[in-house]
Amino acid sequence: MKNKSEKNSPVLQDWGNRKEEIIYAVHGVTKRSKMKIKLSIPMILILLYASLPATPNWYTGTFANRFSDYFTGKGFAEIKSKNVAEAEKRAEQMALQDAASKITCRISGETIDYISEKGGDEETEVEEYFMSETQVKTDLEIMGCKKLKSEKDDNCIYVLVGIPADDLRNSFKHKIKENIKKVNDEFILAEDLYNSNPKKAMKKYAECVITLQKLSTDMAIYLYLNKWNDDLSQQMGKIPTKYKIEKKLYELTGSVPKTPAELSDDLLAPLLANSKANGSFVIYPVEWQNTGFVSEFGNNFAEILANKIIAETGWQRNAYKYCEDSDYIFRGKILESEQGILILLGMNDLAKGNEKSTQIFVNKLTCENIGWERIKPKDLKKALQNKLALYDAIQTDNRLKIDLQTDKMSDGPLVYYYGDEPKILVRANKSCYIRLMYIFSDETKTLLIDNYHLATDQTNQWIQLPLELEVCEPTGIEQMLVQASTEKQPPVQYEVVKDGGYEFWIIESDIGKQIAKTRGLKRKNPKKEIDEKVYQWTVFE
């Protein structure tokens, strides 16, 4: 380990009198290497401006707390080429994402807590009621948010959007009633077609199951918004059960298994019909349920779909970061059923502003041929418990705001492969201290960076953290918690394990308790502001 000066290293100043170059590697109980983490000399940032104009008081202060009847979100964007309208649009999108993140975290956590108190199958319930931020953001866009506040300076525009809680509740109630009617109508039509047109009947049955899945999640959200007063149970009780519909589907699918290539043909045929000659697309890994997790099959199947799209259309496939420059975005989802799985695929035409979707039912025999261990995400129950624990620990603060992204991160499930070297960037709306904690698939909890200081002239812009990461074995779902505080955070208890010139920083205490310890100081000093976000990706070989 090189012995270098620490004069310009805010990270290492906060960690004590250590050298500027520290290499971590994290081991599980089997001592297998998971990820090599090198903390290099911080980058010397060349700033375009000596200092940025002050962020509006209402954006960083407690002004947003006045809107207690709203679900609020904040966003800001740099004004480029004097195009204020375009910057305002990007700021509103960021605010919508912020609002979706808060709603997802709050409702998922509290709904699952409520259900677990009532009893039931913990694994099934937790998985079923996790919400998709992407879907929530879409719902908010359809509803329309109120712009509660907007302000611009020479460089940035800032917005505060809000969704009235009553409007959100009434919207879900209306959507539930419409979907109840849809299930009944589609089921009656499917029954009429059962003998005369089995293929069309299968499609209608599949649509019923998908709508039932939406109903289940929407009902959980509605109960939370309605203070757990169930005034729709009688109407829900009149629709056919999921088991009854899936049994019909199973009867119609026959006994012949299909290959993943054949499944991709079935999914893409209606979407690619009459497709234009030239285009570009982004396709995300196929998500498991509403969890944001990706299984081995979901990842591989997205690649099969991508190759099929290229072969059929000649379109160019873009990386995630070029999502906004693409003509089409493909997103898929796998829904588990007692008789097999349902695979949904949507194609969003960005130019026309519309979306087409299709779905297929995959029978149990096909699933067994593929392998259930590949279809379901690895260590699913453990990953869900970790995610829920982080949700429970996080509290929302309306002032300080922190965001994180990697070189791959975008609006969909994220995967990394062995040998990838993720770059982590953070953005905050005011000067703060940042901590990153990382949970590996075997639940090993590590400290990546602690009390890294973002200065005032680094606010409202993406700053790359001085970390060099390399993704290594094993595979699995891994999660990251980023904390930001306007004051230095109390030290994390960790064990330093040295092995062959490497240092291993393994967190000894429970992360939830560590968060509580951090927030405990807030009661002593009400001026202290804290924000936290949970991120995840899935690692594959």
Side-chain angles (χ1 to χ4, degrees):
M1 185 178 293
K2 297 180 181 179
N3 188 351
K4 296 183 179 180
S5 169
E6 303 166 3
K7 183 169 61 175
N8 295 317
S9 175
V11 181
L12 298 173
Q13 287 171 3
D14 290 331
W15 279 344
N17 297 323
R18 298 184 178 275
K19 308 306 177 208
E20 275 208 316
E21 186 168 334
I22 298 176
I23 300 177
Y24 297 86
V26 181
H27 289 267
V29 294
T30 61
K31 297 294 182 182
R32 288 189 298 171
S33 175
K34 310 258 194 243
M35 181 181 289
K36 298 174 183 176
I37 306 165
K38 180 181 179 182
L39 204 64
S40 61
I41 302 173
M43 299 168 59
I44 300 175
L45 299 173
I46 302 174
L47 302 175
L48 295 176
Y49 306 98
S51 62
L52 294 174
T55 306
N57 290 334
W58 62 265
Y59 191 88
T60 58
T62 57
F63 190 93
N65 289 334
R66 300 179 191 178
F67 298 98
S68 58
D69 294 333
Y70 288 80
F71 287 99
T72 60
K74 296 185 295 184
F76 59 86
E78 181 185 356
I79 300 172
K80 299 178 180 178
S81 303
K82 298 183 179 181
N83 192 337
V84 176
E86 191 272 338
E88 187 169 26
K89 182 179 179 181
R90 286 188 287 114
E92 289 176 1
Q93 284 296 309
M94 180 181 175
L96 272 174
Q97 185 64 52
D98 184 38
S101 176
K102 291 176 182 177
I103 291 171
T104 300
C105 179
R106 189 185 308 176
I107 297 181
S108 291
E110 295 195 24
T111 299
I112 293 165
D113 283 346
Y114 178 79
I115 291 169
S116 63
E117 288 174 4
K118 293 179 66 177
D121 186 335
E122 180 183 352
E123 181 177 1
T124 301
E125 299 293 0
V126 166
E127 182 179 343
E128 186 173 355
Y129 293 112
F130 263 105
M131 297 169 60
S132 168
E133 281 188 27
T134 302
Q135 183 57 52
V136 172
K137 182 169 175 279
T138 302
D139 289 341
L140 298 184
E141 287 174 330
I142 294 171
M143 282 186 59
C145 297
K146 292 186 178 181
K147 192 185 298 181
L148 303 176
K149 197 77 175 173
S150 177
E151 188 172 336
K152 72 180 180 69
D153 55 34
D154 292 339
N155 299 311
C156 288
I157 189 162
Y158 307 85
V159 298
L160 172 71
V161 301
I163 307 94
D166 288 344
D167 289 356
L168 193 61
R169 183 185 67 249
N170 291 333
S171 172
F172 272 96
K173 186 172 186 176
H174 177 70
K175 187 164 63 167
I176 288 169
K177 287 182 176 180
E178 282 192 331
N179 281 334
I180 288 173
K181 183 178 184 304
K182 181 180 178 181
V183 170
N184 282 324
D185 291 347
E186 295 290 336
F187 184 74
I188 291 171
L189 183 56
E191 292 285 86
D192 291 340
L193 294 168
Y194 187 90
N195 292 316
S196 61
N197 194 336
K199 286 189 175 180
K200 193 170 183 180
M202 283 178 59
K203 185 175 180 180
K204 294 300 177 184
Y205 284 131
E207 288 174 358
C208 286
V209 175
I210 293 165
T211 306
L212 280 176
Q213 180 78 17
K214 293 178 182 176
L215 270 172
S216 179
T217 304
D218 288 347
M219 191 64 186
I221 298 169
Y222 173 72
L223 287 174
Y224 166 81
L225 296 171
N226 206 37
K227 303 187 185 331
W228 310 109
N229 177 30
D230 187 357
D231 56 0
L232 294 173
S233 57
Q234 287 188 345
Q235 295 180 56
M236 288 286 289
K238 294 178 180 178
I239 58 179
T241 65
K242 185 179 176 185
Y243 175 78
K244 182 177 181 180
I245 299 170
E246 288 177 348
K247 188 177 180 182
K248 297 278 187 176
L249 265 173
Y250 183 70
E251 291 170 356
L252 289 173
T253 55
S255 58
V256 179
K258 289 189 173 183
T259 66
E262 290 173 326
L263 297 177
S264 70
D265 289 341
D266 294 341
L267 270 173
L268 288 171
L271 297 181
L272 300 182
N274 304 316
S275 58
K276 66 179 185 180
N278 298 312
S280 60
F281 71 97
V282 166
I283 185 167
Y284 289 101
V286 182
E287 180 184 3
W288 176 263
Q289 306 275 87
N290 289 321
T291 61
F293 299 157
V294 179
S295 66
E296 181 187 346
F297 171 74
N299 183 53
N300 292 341
F301 191 60
E303 295 303 311
I304 293 172
L305 290 169
N307 292 334
K308 179 71 175 178
I309 293 168
I310 294 170
E312 290 288 322
T313 64
W315 293 346
Q316 174 185 326
R317 182 183 182 183
N318 289 342
Y320 302 147
K321 60 184 178 181
Y322 300 117
C323 177
E324 294 182 356
D325 299 325
S326 303
D327 297 301
Y328 304 98
I329 299 175
F330 289 86
R331 287 190 178 89
K333 185 174 291 188
I334 299 171
L335 303 179
E336 185 178 16
S337 104
E338 293 182 23
Q339 305 295 334
I341 58 174
L342 275 166
I343 305 179
L344 288 65
L345 185 65
M347 183 179 79
N348 187 4
D349 187 331
L350 296 183
K352 295 181 179 178
N354 59 29
E355 184 172 1
K356 295 192 293 184
S357 63
T358 185
Q359 65 279 320
I360 57 171
F361 178 76
V362 183
N363 63 31
K364 192 181 296 184
L365 183 59
T366 299
C367 292
E368 289 171 353
N369 274 8
I370 295 171
W372 281 107
E373 72 283 356
R374 297 181 61 228
I375 292 174
K376 290 187 177 183
K378 185 179 178 182
D379 300 323
L380 178 63
K381 183 176 181 179
K382 185 165 55 179
L384 287 167
Q385 289 171 341
N386 283 337
K387 188 172 182 178
L388 180 58
L390 293 176
Y391 272 2
D392 286 342
I394 288 178
Q395 302 176 38
T396 300
D397 191 290
N398 286 317
R399 296 172 290 174
L400 176 64
K401 181 174 179 351
I402 185 72
D403 287 297
L404 179 147
Q405 71 174 17
T406 75
D407 51 329
K408 283 191 177 183
M409 196 166 283
S410 188
D411 191 17
L414 179 65
V415 299
Y416 274 99
Y417 301 93
Y418 294 177
D420 283 353
E421 298 180 352
K423 302 292 186 282
I424 297 180
L425 301 92
V426 293
R427 177 172 65 177
N429 62 342
K430 61 197 310 184
S431 178
C432 61
Y433 295 86
I434 292 171
R435 168 181 291 160
L436 286 180
M437 293 183 281
Y438 196 83
I439 303 176
F440 289 95
S441 59
D442 69 347
E443 295 187 303
T444 300
K445 301 172 181 67
T446 62
L447 179 66
L448 297 189
I449 200 166
D450 200 18
N451 279 321
Y452 180 80
H453 186 239
L454 284 186
T456 301
D457 59 2
Q458 294 176 304
T459 59
N460 297 334
Q461 56 187 306
W462 288 108
I463 302 297
Q464 183 174 328
L465 294 177
L467 287 165
E468 293 182 6
L469 309 177
E470 181 183 352
V471 178
C472 301
E473 64 176 353
T475 61
I477 297 161
E478 304 188 341
Q479 304 186 63
M480 180 181 292
L481 172 68
V482 56
Q483 284 187 299
S485 172
T486 52
E487 296 180 5
K488 283 188 179 180
Q489 303 180 63
V492 176
Q493 295 178 351
Y494 59 88
E495 178 186 2
V496 179
V497 179
K498 296 185 178 181
D499 182 9
Y502 290 82
E503 284 192 359
F504 308 90
W505 290 27
I506 301 175
I507 298 175
E508 297 175 331
S509 61
D510 177 75
I511 284 186
K513 293 179 181 178
Q514 182 62 45
I515 294 172
K517 180 181 177 183
T518 302
R519 288 189 165 275
L521 295 183
K522 190 176 181 182
R523 290 188 287 273
K524 298 178 183 178
N525 183 4
K527 294 182 180 180
K528 181 179 180 181
E529 300 172 28
I530 298 172
D531 192 25
E532 295 142 341
K533 292 285 178 63
V534 177
Y535 301 89
Q536 67 190 35
W537 57 61
T538 310
V539 173
F540 292 103
E541 185 174 0

